[in-house]
Amino acid sequence: MILHLQIPSPPKLQLAQTAVAGCLCNGSTSTDSGLNFRRKILYLQSLNVNHKKALDLNPTLRSTPLSALHSITQCLSSMGLDIAAVGRILDMHPKLLTADPYADIYPIFDFLLHTVEIPFPEIRKSITRCPRILVSDLEAQLKPAFEFLSELGFAGANKLTSQTTVLLVSSVERTLMPKIEFLTRLGIEYAEVRNMVLRSPGLLTFSVERNYAPKLDYFLKEMNGDLEEIKRFPQYFSFSLERKIIPRHRLLMEHGVSMSLPEMLKVSDGEFNVQLIEKRLQMAGDQPL
């Protein structure tokens, strides 16, 4: 009778086989990891997100699964943002790529909808105008700014809209208060400053050093202006000093013509020139023969 014996492999051979199997396994894992990373890059490219910049600014993105990127995209899309807008926002703020939709993003949407009371169709406009809202701290930034603005008068008929929610990302201490204090130090009553800001919310976004100070200095010294006119037309600060205020004022001085701030600034170059000619003709007609 012939016996069939199963001869075990020598220990060294078993070790070698184990090592080979380990290498094959590691190689497979490495391949899978590389493939998943490549899929992630392709997905970012499909959104027009600069993946190199995104990885530099948010290294955590390397280990983030593709499913997480899909989740954040779906989260933003659920608020009415089209895929092109989603891509622009993610490219601007790569931090969002690794955000938790339920912990980081949806609470902000809920705040805008139910506290600020922005209508759902307008949420998209708020985010598009100021994507920074999505990376602002809800408790430390957005809520304190909302409370300050509400007390200032942005409530009821003057409540924040999709056009003015940009103010929510401004620091109360470093950005909003300094503007109010600058205007009140000029001798403008707080109630008047409040009315100016409610009529022209952009006043709260301008720099005191780069906007308010030089424009006010020119208005008072070169134009011999009266603060009462600034109160009536606070939009003065929204116009470029070098490109509009100074050139138009100098033309008026050159021709001996006077205009109110709205007449001088609110119209296009063509309309301004027409007004200037009309006033010069009127002046010529008023002169005695």
Side-chain angles (χ1 to χ4, degrees), residues 170-235:
S170 300
S171 165
V172 173
E173 293 77 15
R174 297 190 306 273
T175 304
L176 299 175
M177 280 301 300
K179 275 77 168 179
I180 304 298
E181 292 169 353
F182 178 83
L183 293 171
T184 53
R185 282 200 302 269
L186 296 176
I188 304 176
E189 296 292 333
Y190 177 80
E192 294 174 314
V193 171
R194 176 179 175 276
N195 289 333
M196 289 168 60
V197 167
L198 292 177
R199 283 164 46 213
S200 185
L203 291 175
L204 292 174
T205 66
F206 301 144
S207 164
V208 170
E209 295 76 17
R210 296 189 301 273
N211 187 307
Y212 279 107
K215 289 178 183 177
L216 189 66
D217 186 69
Y218 186 84
F219 176 75
L220 295 175
K221 294 180 179 178
E222 301 298 327
M223 299 174 66
N224 296 315
D226 187 332
L227 280 178
E228 290 299 320
E229 194 166 8
I230 291 289
K231 294 178 190 177
R232 291 192 297 270
F233 188 68
Q235 296 93 330

Side-chain angles (χ1 to χ4, degrees), residues 76-133:
L76 297 177
S77 297
S78 71
M79 289 295 112
L81 293 161
D82 59 42
I83 197 65
V86 170
R88 285 193 298 271
I89 291 169
L90 294 177
D91 187 63
M92 290 173 63
H93 298 288
K95 177 182 177 182
L96 289 170
L97 290 165
T98 54
D100 181 337
Y102 292 95
D104 303 322
I105 307 302
Y106 283 123
I108 292 176
F109 287 146
D110 183 72
F111 168 73
L112 292 174
L113 278 168
H114 300 110
T115 302
V116 186
E117 296 183 344
I118 302 296
F120 179 80
E122 298 292 304
I123 292 291
R124 173 181 58 82
K125 296 178 183 178
S126 290
I127 301 303
T128 301
R129 285 193 173 94
C130 186
R132 190 174 150 199
I133 288 177

Side-chain angles (χ1 to χ4, degrees), residues 18-29:
T18 302
V20 170
C23 288
L24 289 173
C25 181
N26 290 337
S28 176
T29 302

Side-chain angles (χ1 to χ4, degrees), residues 48-92:
N48 288 322
V49 173
N50 184 327
H51 66 276
K52 292 182 179 179
K53 181 182 76 171
L55 288 166
D56 286 341
L57 295 178
N58 188 359
T60 308
L61 179 60
R62 288 188 175 275
S63 57
T64 301
L66 181 58
S67 58
L69 302 187
H70 289 158
S71 294
I72 198 68
T73 301
Q74 291 167 0
C75 170
L76 297 177
S77 297
S78 71
M79 289 295 112
L81 293 161
D82 59 42
I83 197 65
V86 170
R88 285 193 298 271
I89 291 169
L90 294 177
D91 187 63
M92 290 173 63

Side-chain angles (χ1 to χ4, degrees), residues 223 229 232-233 235-236 239 244-245 248-249 252 257-276 278-279 282:
M223 299 174 66
E229 194 166 8
R232 291 192 297 270
F233 188 68
Q235 296 93 330
Y236 166 79
F239 294 96
K244 184 164 282 190
I245 296 173
R248 291 192 178 184
H249 173 249
L252 294 178
V257 174
S258 63
M259 289 184 187
S260 67
L261 288 179
E263 287 180 312
M264 184 178 91
L265 298 172
K266 288 183 72 175
V267 296
S268 66
D269 288 340
E271 291 171 313
F272 173 78
N273 290 330
V274 169
Q275 285 186 165
L276 181 58
E278 288 176 346
K279 286 185 177 288
Q282 184 180 355

